[in-house]
Amino acid sequence: MADKLVVTFGSTHQALKAEDIFKELQLDFELIPIPREISAECGFALLVNYNDTAEIKKTCDKKKIRFSGIYEIQINDGEKYYEKYY
Amino acid sequence: MIYLDNAATSFPKAPGVSEAVKDFLDNTGANAGRSSYSQARQSSRIIYQARKLLAEILQVTDEERICFTMNATQALNIAIKGLVKPGMTVLTSGMEHNSVMRPLRWLESNSQVKINQFSLLNDAERWQQKLAEKPDVIIVSAASNVNGMILPFEEIARNAKKYRIPVILDAAQALGTLPINGNDFDIVCFPGHKGLLGPMGTGGLYISPGLEPESLFQGGTGSRSSEEFQPEMLPDRMESGTANIPGIAGLKAALEFVLKTGINEIQRQKQHILSLLIDGLVTINEIEIHGSLDPTLNAGAISITSSTMTISELALVLDRADIATRMGLHCAPAAHKTLGTFEQGGTIRLSPGYFTTEFEIAETVRILKEIHRGR
């Protein structure tokens, strides 16, 4: 299980909506430029310091946040990669 | 100056609008939706929050189906050209502005679209009958820009639903003044600078779920930048190119004012001012009012002519008295034909706004009386 997740969005509007809701839920996160390795839709993503991918998905669904992907940041042989879960 | 040209654009703007525009230009300034540094994020957030406030005013939950445009005309062009396809029949009212009529006439000339108009004054031409003929699309104004007449837009939309005919609402003279529930229409087009009291160069449209009109033009959106094809999702599909973010910052301040004041309160105040204006005008025998004398049926404009002066003579003396009105056809030849005021070149339109005072109305009536007494 990874410590960090990246949530991506189709539009800026959805990214900012997620930012509002994650703030309300007091999640530890930041708005980041979309990682190069992830095929970009909206130019931003949320980097969340949280390890429960399923829980984040549930939160997004419940709050009607339309994300385009949830990725776990994994390290393999010292190399960082993004594994898509949803 | 007594400003009675709010149907063209509101003046003054809501408190806080100019400060918000200046603050954006001086302190934020960055483009939105393209980068994640702090000022760019602030720009994106201004647009995001303005969109949320518009959703509140339109009573809709799907904020991202509200797209920003430069004005209501651009919104109407997206709506009309997005929904009306070659060979279709469109039903519209006889009170429409050229922002509806010109795109329609363009489609009529270029893609065999048929235009059918209903009259609100002639029983034989009623909308109920015309609607039963099942047009493909209905386009109707919420209120006339010529004489403020509130059209039966809600009733038309309810009936159109029975036949599953999509309805485009032109809310140019109504949003911010009349309560409008976006869920009752397929597309609602609106300006940001009239009843919503924001800056010029702002407007938008709400597109109901399930409807996917094409974009009128394509370009950069900051999203799906790897693709050379226009993104499908809203609002990005309709919002190519850099937005008028200073304007939207001002609009956001205006929307906060409108919501804080309450649309019912704005409507009540405008009706009060209209009733004073009507009461004053009816005491001047030479003046004819082209429209209802009931302020509750009016969204904010009165059209008048004089039996002793041409409209240009009247406009000139009003200009000299520093009363701002609009003379002529008001970009609405169709409406003036319906009202019978087309041949004489139109009317003088007096359109007070939320900030018009009782004193200003009394002065206007006094000056109009004086002008006529002197002849």
Side-chain angles (χ1 to χ4, degrees), chain B residues 74-95:
Chain B
Q74 193 189 342
L76 281 161
N77 269 271
I78 293 173
I80 292 171
K81 287 166 187 163
L83 290 197
V84 181
K85 298 296 161 197
M88 281 188 173
T89 300
V90 177
L91 178 61
T92 191
S93 89
M95 290 302 286

Side-chain angles (χ1 to χ4, degrees), chain B residues 1-301:
Chain B
M1 177 189 58
I2 296 175
Y3 185 80
L4 298 180
D5 201 16
N6 286 275
T9 194
S10 57
F11 182 82
K13 299 302 178 190
V17 169
S18 61
E19 290 87 343
V21 174
K22 183 172 171 11
D23 182 56
F24 177 83
L25 291 170
D26 288 346
N27 301 315
T28 307
N31 210 337
R34 271 94 173 136
S35 305
S36 53
Y37 58 91
S38 107
Q39 278 161 287
R41 252 182 9 229
Q42 176 59 15
S43 280
S44 301
R45 287 202 69 80
I46 287 168
I47 297 178
Y48 167 76
Q49 285 160 347
R51 217 186 292 281
K52 276 180 71 163
L53 295 169
L54 279 169
E56 203 176 319
I57 283 181
L58 285 163
Q59 305 167 48
V60 297
T61 50
D62 243 334
E63 299 139 12
E64 61 190 340
R65 301 194 71 86
I66 295 173
C67 309
F68 282 108
T69 59
M70 296 299 289
N71 45 45
T73 298
Q74 193 189 342
L76 281 161
N77 269 271
I78 293 173
I80 292 171
K81 287 166 187 163
L83 290 197
V84 181
K85 298 296 161 197
M88 281 188 173
T89 300
V90 177
L91 178 61
T92 191
S93 89
M95 290 302 286
E96 299 303 314
H97 189 274
N98 267 348
S99 55
V100 168
M101 292 317 297
R102 284 186 174 168
L104 283 181
R105 292 295 178 204
W106 187 87
L107 286 170
E108 186 184 40
S109 311
N110 291 285
S111 53
Q112 296 89 47
V113 163
K114 207 175 152 263
I115 303 168
N116 204 346
Q117 280 169 285
F118 62 84
S119 168
L120 293 145
L121 308 172
N122 176 353
D123 273 353
E125 304 273 301
R126 294 174 68 213
W127 61 265
Q128 287 88 343
Q129 273 109 308
K130 303 259 183 180
L131 199 144
E133 293 168 20
K134 297 192 184 167
D136 298 292
V137 179
I138 297 173
I139 303 164
V140 66
S141 287
S144 160
N145 73 306
V146 173
N147 67 355
M149 173 200 231
I150 299 172
L151 279 75
F153 59 100
E154 285 164 326
E155 207 186 338
I156 290 171
R158 260 197 308 278
N159 280 272
K161 245 187 197 129
K162 288 185 210 157
Y163 297 105
R164 294 172 187 244
I165 303 167
V167 176
I168 299 171
L169 182 71
D170 174 5
Q173 297 296 332
L175 199 63
T177 301
L178 306 178
I180 287 178
N181 187 332
N183 298 298
D184 294 343
F185 307 92
D186 295 87
I187 299 184
V188 180
C189 302
F190 56 88
H193 66 102
K194 295 190 184 188
L196 295 178
L197 307 174
M200 296 167 188
T202 60
L205 70 164
Y206 168 69
I207 302 169
S208 65
L211 213 58
E212 301 297 345
E214 284 162 34
S215 53
L216 256 196
F217 48 82
Q218 296 78 34
T221 57
S223 51
R224 296 220 176 158
S225 291
S226 57
E227 289 174 23
E228 291 184 5
F229 290 93
Q230 187 75 357
E232 300 239 313
M233 79 250 173
L234 292 172
D236 297 29
R237 191 196 323 160
M238 303 303 186
E239 293 185 352
S240 295
T242 296
N244 175 12
I245 315 174
I248 293 172
L251 177 62
K252 176 178 161 278
L255 295 170
E256 283 162 355
F257 174 82
V258 167
L259 282 163
K260 199 178 100 204
T261 309
I263 287 177
N264 289 335
E265 171 55 22
I266 292 174
Q267 186 181 18
R268 190 202 58 74
Q269 170 63 13
K270 279 180 97 169
Q271 280 177 3
H272 168 64
I273 289 294
L274 278 173
S275 71
L276 295 179
L277 181 57
I278 294 168
D279 289 351
L281 292 172
V282 295
T283 64
I284 308 169
N285 289 334
E286 295 87 347
I287 284 181
E288 184 182 350
I289 298 178
H290 299 271
S292 168
L293 300 182
D294 181 351
T296 65
L297 305 177
N298 192 320

Side-chain angles (χ1 to χ4, degrees), chain A residues 5-36:
Chain A
L5 306 171
V6 172
V7 188
T8 63
F9 306 91
S11 69
T12 304
H13 184 84
Q14 286 300 325
L16 296 179
K17 182 177 171 181
E19 194 188 11
D20 267 5
I21 291 167
F22 284 13
K23 226 179 261 171
E24 246 172 61
L25 297 173
Q26 297 183 328
L27 290 172
D28 178 15
F29 73 96
E30 63 178 317
L31 193 79
I32 56 163
I34 188 100
R36 174 72 193 84

